[in-house]
Amino acid sequence: MEIIIKRDAEEASLEAAAIFRRQLREKPESVLGLATGSTPLRFYELLAAMGRAGELDASRAVTFNLDEYVGLSAAHPQSYAAYMRAHLLDHLPVARWHIPDGQTADIPRHCAEYEAAIRAAGGIDIQLLGLGSDGHIGFNEPGSSLGSRTRLKTLTARTVADNAPHFASPAEVPRHVITMGVGTILEARRCVVLAFGKQKAHAVAAMAEGPVTAMVPASALQMHPACALIVDEAAAGDLQRRDYYRWVYENKPAWQRP
Ligand code: GLP
């Protein structure tokens, strides 16, 4: 895993946006895996700005989001479909986008079709990920099988509490979600994980330096051949080998930089 420690969330978001810009320049028809949450908001703003400036063209790209709340329609303001429209899709045209349907009548079938659509698109070229404070990716809570596929999950009380500020009250946060599995995520050709703030420091250290365990689903990314973890100073606070990661980044060959 490549660990990039940036001064702040702005610098980290810029690094991630530059990686996606390079990906789209090299392969305009890229299949992008996208994430929600507060972490990637600035990243999406930067992508949209790059699009407006003509630095990036996503019009041939296809996107797949990681997850969606069960029970929320795409029009519900807290749905991830609404989030994606507001923060990216209304500002950066893409060829096709996909988000799990939180109102599907047949969840297992819809999940199988979502997996099939990813395969039919040629697989995900680059997957953006945030990190839950309990080490989840997508909505794969601790205990998720590291081989799991897109399916129904029940949120932990902690994730419900973490996401409650986005809803009128904690009671309104859906308990169930549809999420790509850890196994689905691991099949992406590249992964880029963003984590900011000291409330993520413990999860960042467990993900990158702890054992690979279902108790920290993000730790499965240690098995991924091309995963970059981009953090700010606060989120890097619990990493044992911070100085080494900085050294690696300072000495990174020019051809590897975005
Ligand atoms: C949610 C999302 C994840 C996200 C995580 C962290 O549970 N399903 O995709 O990475 O929370 O959210 P935030 O970026 O708001 O801290």
Side-chain angles (χ1 to χ4, degrees), residues 35-40 66-67 80 129-133 136-139 159 163 166 200:
T36 50
S38 45
T39 306
L66 286 164
D67 45 18
Y80 285 161
L129 294 157
L131 183 63
S133 63
H136 74 242
I137 44 176
F139 266 133
T159 299
N163 290 346
H166 302 291
K200 298 290 174 74

Side-chain angles (χ1 to χ4, degrees), residues 14-31:
L14 275 164
E15 180 84 10
I19 292 171
F20 274 66
R21 179 176 57 194
R22 179 169 174 173
Q23 171 72 34
L24 285 164
R25 283 181 180 164
E26 289 177 357
K27 185 177 176 189
E29 67 285 4
S30 287
V31 179

